[in-house]
Amino acid sequence: MYEYAAVALTTFFATIGPIDVATMFAAFTVAIPRRERRRIAVKACLIALGILFVFAIVGQFILESLGISLAALRAAGGILLLLIGIDMVFARPSGATSTTIDEDNEAIERHDIAVFPLATPLIAGPGAIGATLLLMADAHTNVLHQAMVLASMVVIIGVTLVSMLMASEINRFLGLTGIQVITRVFGILLSALAVQFLFDGIAQANLFGG
């Protein structure tokens, strides 16, 4: 039970990246008053939580409608998370957890950045959505495990909210080196989890017989 909760927390922390989100939030809101920054942060986290909850609830239905097996989801999810993990280890921006230059420019021009790019794709991006689908499908009919996935999601988004509200303090305390160390450590953990998901998917598909 605790092992599954640890896997869910680690996966969401790595794919959402609260500290990375806080860094981007600080850059986007540098000229915005403190009260408005708080409103934007809360709104972004609530919207992102809603997006992930929708995928958590209807994800199984979507997969069944498309004829996607759990084995295929585990393998594909493992590959996606492995690519994110590799980018984290080498401190490279990942398209699944970050924005493009064009998206950054569009965000700067917007007055309210809570929905885009904060809620999605920074918080509830492809990586977090893929992790939600994978973890909920992996929990299958185990209600306790599914509850742990949802609770882990809420916890990490809560951490993300706190990180955004304390973005300036975190950046000063950790510095670039500290942020990259944390990112690399979680990148290694995520890569290991991703490979395990991939192995489980291949084993469940029984591609080699026996």
Side-chain angles (χ1 to χ4, degrees):
M1 181 176 70
Y2 296 109
E3 180 182 350
Y4 200 86
V7 168
L9 285 169
T10 301
T11 303
F12 278 124
F13 190 94
T15 54
I16 292 176
I19 296 176
D20 292 334
V21 172
T23 301
M24 295 296 293
F25 177 76
F28 286 140
T29 60
V30 64
I32 298 178
R34 188 176 186 85
R35 175 177 290 185
E36 181 66 10
R37 287 203 305 269
R38 188 183 303 115
R39 184 195 69 82
I40 291 173
V42 172
K43 181 179 178 181
C45 287
L46 289 176
I47 293 173
L49 187 61
I51 293 172
L52 294 182
F53 258 110
V54 168
F55 277 97
I57 300 303
V58 304
Q60 188 67 32
F61 172 75
I62 294 174
L63 295 175
E64 291 175 355
S65 300
L66 296 175
I68 300 174
S69 67
L70 179 56
L73 180 64
R74 279 176 171 160
I79 293 172
L80 172 62
L81 295 180
L82 179 59
L83 292 174
I84 295 173
I86 291 172
D87 283 337
M88 291 175 69
V89 170
F90 289 100
R92 297 190 304 232
S94 172
T97 58
S98 62
T99 55
T100 63
I101 295 177
D102 290 337
E103 289 173 333
D104 289 343
N105 292 334
E106 183 178 348
I108 293 173
E109 296 173 358
R110 288 171 175 257
H111 295 292
D112 189 350
I113 60 172
V115 178
F116 174 86
L118 289 177
T120 182
L122 284 178
I123 303 175
I129 291 172
T132 301
L133 290 172
L134 180 59
L135 290 169
M136 288 298 287
D138 201 47
H140 199 41
T141 56
N142 191 317
V143 178
L144 181 58
H145 283 181
Q146 290 179 340
M148 286 182 179
V149 173
L150 296 178
S152 298
M153 181 194 304
V154 172
V155 168
I156 297 304
I157 289 186
V159 171
T160 302
L161 174 59
V162 173
S163 298
M164 286 195 290
L165 296 177
M166 300 179 61
S168 300
E169 292 81 356
I170 290 174
N171 285 340
R172 279 199 303 268
F173 178 73
L174 293 178
L176 179 61
T177 301
I179 292 173
Q180 288 186 347
V181 167
I182 294 175
T183 299
R184 284 187 166 100
V185 169
F186 275 91
I188 293 171
L189 294 175
L190 182 63
S191 297
L193 288 172
V195 172
Q196 187 61 58
F197 280 131
L198 180 58
F199 285 170
D200 290 344
I202 294 173
Q204 187 176 1
N206 198 25
L207 297 177
F208 306 105

